[in-house]
Amino acid sequence: MATDIAGMIRDLRSRIATGGLPADSRLALLQDVKELQYELETPRETSNRYRYSVCALLDFPSSTYCIGKIMLTKRSATQGLDLTITYIFYQLGLFDALVKPAKSPISTNDLANETNADPILLGRLLRYAASSGFVKQSSEDTWTASRATHSLVIPSSEANIEQAFTDALPLYVDLPRFLVQNSYQNPTDSRNTVHSLTHNTPLHYFDWMKRNPEHYAALNKFMAANRRTTTGIGAFPFEDKVPSLFETESPETPLFVDVGGGRGQMCRAFRAKHPDLPGRVILQDLQLAIADAPSVDGIEAMAHDFFHQQPIQGAKIYFLRHVLHDWPDEKAEAILKPLVEAMDKESVILIDEKVLPDVGASSTAAGLDLLMMCTFAASERSERAWKDLLGKVGLKVEYSVRYNEEEGDVIMMVLPEK
């Protein structure tokens, strides 16, 4: 079957290359390809494509903003519009209205009544949405949900798009200007970033977030939604690799310390996987994040700045998920050093991050790398980059599991070098 499909694709490419497709067939095929992409994608892949394929149409005030002689294409401009229209649909509740089975197809006027939006405006927005495939137009004035609608209506997609629109899109717009001002040098200073340029602030991103609750709320919603998806906790063989976890008898033994753990999703996942283990499960983050974390039996919440000395000594596991990719190497070393100092002979560090391949990185992983660059002057690291970073603080990867091949997610067990 796969061989037949590959042959059909080769034949189609050959016909396209030789001009063997009539204009009407070419346009119909373009629409089919667009719909096929939605059919093949998971909901997460759809929302991530909207998130990371953004290229806004800019009216540059001077040639200083141009990137060489590269011109934005019509399609690159509409990618920014896709994100904008999707965000408006969330604000109006249009995706929810469209997926109600009792009301499909639904007229523009009915949608206007549900959303309190002007029907003429709504028709124009829906017309564009249908042209991009994230709704279907049934007739001149009626609309139904498409595969993309069902992918975008789920809460994690909404959180993804909301955070991309409010936080990431302004950075992508300013990236060309930032690169010109910094002579196209790779950013490494976490206080000289695209984010600091966009918001005209000397503050680090996290300090700025504390003063901007709307952005902070969108970030927390995004992090919570994405941490509910597959993680390394489920893939890691704790019994085999950390046997001392299962030998402890004291309820005072620190088992699992989630460093920079946000609202505690990973602590809850660990407790759910090992509900009967005696010992302490500890969530650590700054006070602002701890105050927002739900109280859960069996999980301690502790305000802690991970650049300072680790207060929990000799834990079985120090866990870091999506922490180090927020920081350039110098700061990442400063986060790891207190953990190395706190470890005893039975301690391990688990790092749950992306590990980029040398060739063929996914668009999601490569896009997230650029977002880390814009926001923090940080990066998603390759295997070699991880080895170099860990080696600087006397650590090495002892064992790893790649649990999400498409997005490059890996959980690494890290130990001191012998």
Side-chain angles (χ1 to χ4, degrees):
M1 179 65 176
T3 303
D4 292 343
I5 293 173
M8 292 168 61
I9 292 173
R10 284 196 300 271
D11 179 62
L12 181 59
R13 284 177 169 170
S14 176
R15 291 184 62 186
I16 293 170
T18 57
L21 280 181
D24 56 345
S25 297
R26 186 186 66 82
L27 292 174
L29 181 60
L30 274 174
Q31 186 61 34
D32 288 341
V33 168
K34 187 183 299 181
E35 293 177 4
L36 180 61
Q37 181 170 9
Y38 285 118
E39 294 293 330
L40 288 171
E41 288 175 331
T42 65
R44 180 175 173 82
E45 288 167 340
T46 298
S47 64
N48 276 341
R49 177 162 57 84
Y50 279 43
R51 178 180 179 82
Y52 296 117
S53 298
V54 174
C55 184
L57 180 61
L58 307 178
D59 182 11
F60 296 119
S62 73
S63 60
T64 304
Y65 286 76
C66 295
I67 308 176
K69 297 181 179 180
I70 297 174
M71 300 296 292
L72 292 173
T73 66
K74 290 181 180 179
R75 179 58 197 151
S76 69
T78 60
Q79 286 175 335
L81 192 54
D82 284 354
L83 179 66
T84 301
I85 299 300
T86 304
Y87 182 71
I88 292 170
F89 277 27
Y90 286 130
Q91 289 182 308
L92 291 173
L94 269 173
F95 290 128
D96 288 313
L98 285 162
V99 299
K100 294 177 182 176
K103 293 191 173 183
S104 185
I106 185 169
S107 71
T108 305
N109 283 333
D110 285 342
L111 288 169
N113 288 335
E114 286 205 33
T115 60
N116 294 318
D118 179 271
I120 295 176
L121 170 66
L122 212 54
R124 298 173 73 180
L125 297 175
L126 286 161
R127 179 172 59 202
Y128 177 81
S131 75
S132 283
F134 49 94
V135 304
K136 286 184 178 179
Q137 187 170 14
S138 305
S139 66
E140 181 181 357
D141 197 41
T142 60
W143 316 87
T144 59
S146 67
R147 168 64 183 265
T149 312
H150 288 282
S151 292
L152 292 168
V153 77
I154 63 177
S156 60
S157 293
E158 180 175 358
N160 208 353
I161 297 299
E162 180 182 353
Q163 201 273 334
F165 184 84
T166 59
D167 203 15
L169 180 57
L171 308 188
Y172 301 149
V173 171
D174 276 336
L175 177 57
R177 181 159 62 107
F178 174 86
L179 293 177
V180 168
Q181 289 183 3
N182 289 272
S183 302
Y184 292 93
Q185 298 302 298
N186 186 54
T188 57
D189 182 351
S190 59
R191 294 188 182 274
N192 178 30
T193 63
V194 183
H195 178 269
S196 57
L197 173 67
T198 297
H199 297 285
N200 190 29
T201 178
L203 297 174
H204 186 275
Y205 174 82
F206 289 124
D207 295 323
W208 182 85
M209 276 288 179
K210 296 174 189 177
R211 304 185 184 191
N212 292 271
E214 178 186 350
H215 288 266
Y216 184 70
L219 175 65
N220 264 349
K221 183 177 177 182
F222 165 71
M223 294 300 292
N226 280 274
R227 288 195 180 197
R228 280 197 296 268
T229 59
T230 304
T231 72
I233 293 288
F236 189 79
F238 289 95
E239 293 87 347
D240 181 38
K241 297 301 178 181
V242 196
S244 63
L245 266 180
F246 305 90
E247 297 166 1
T248 183
E249 296 179 357
S250 171
E252 298 304 314
T253 300
L255 300 179
F256 184 89
V257 181
D258 189 2
V259 181
R263 302 185 76 247
Q265 293 91 340
M266 297 303 100
C267 286
R268 296 197 293 274
F270 179 82
R271 267 298 182 207
K273 185 170 184 178
H274 304 291
D276 299 323
L277 282 182
R280 300 165 65 193
V281 173
I282 302 162
L283 167 66
Q284 292 181 340
D285 212 313
L286 297 176
Q287 181 58 48
L288 183 66
I290 291 296
D292 192 47
S295 178
V296 178
D297 287 343
I299 297 174
E300 302 174 40
M302 175 186 294
H304 172 61
D305 183 337
F306 48 46
F307 288 111
H308 296 166
Q309 182 180 15
Q310 173 56 243
I312 305 299
Q313 299 287 303
K316 302 297 183 185
I317 296 170
Y318 296 98
F319 184 80
L320 294 157
R321 181 170 193 251
H322 295 174
V323 171
L324 298 176
H325 77 160
D326 291 342
W327 300 94
D329 280 2
E330 182 180 353
K331 295 293 187 181
E333 291 174 44
I335 294 168
L336 288 167
K337 284 178 180 177
L339 302 183
V340 175
E341 293 165 359
M343 296 174 76
D344 68 15
K345 63 180 181 180
E346 292 184 340
S347 299
V348 303
I349 300 173
L350 296 184
I351 299 174
D352 190 346
E353 292 269 8
K354 295 189 186 303
V355 178
L356 300 186
D358 293 331
V359 178
S362 70
S363 59
T364 295
L368 186 57
D369 175 57
L370 294 182
L371 181 58
M372 295 300 100
M373 180 186 75
C374 291
T375 309
F376 304 109
S379 65
E380 298 296 342
R381 295 175 172 90
S382 66
E383 185 174 344
R384 178 181 297 177
W386 278 114
K387 182 178 180 180
D388 290 345
L389 170 63
L390 295 169
K392 290 175 183 177
V393 293
L395 293 170
K396 64 175 182 177
V397 177
E398 183 72 16
Y399 174 82
S400 65
V401 179
R402 185 176 291 269
Y403 63 88
N404 184 340
E405 190 69 38
E406 292 182 1
E407 295 188 20
D409 294 306
V410 175
I411 186 164
M412 298 173 276
M413 185 177 78
V414 174
L415 296 175
E417 293 177 325
K418 299 286 175 77

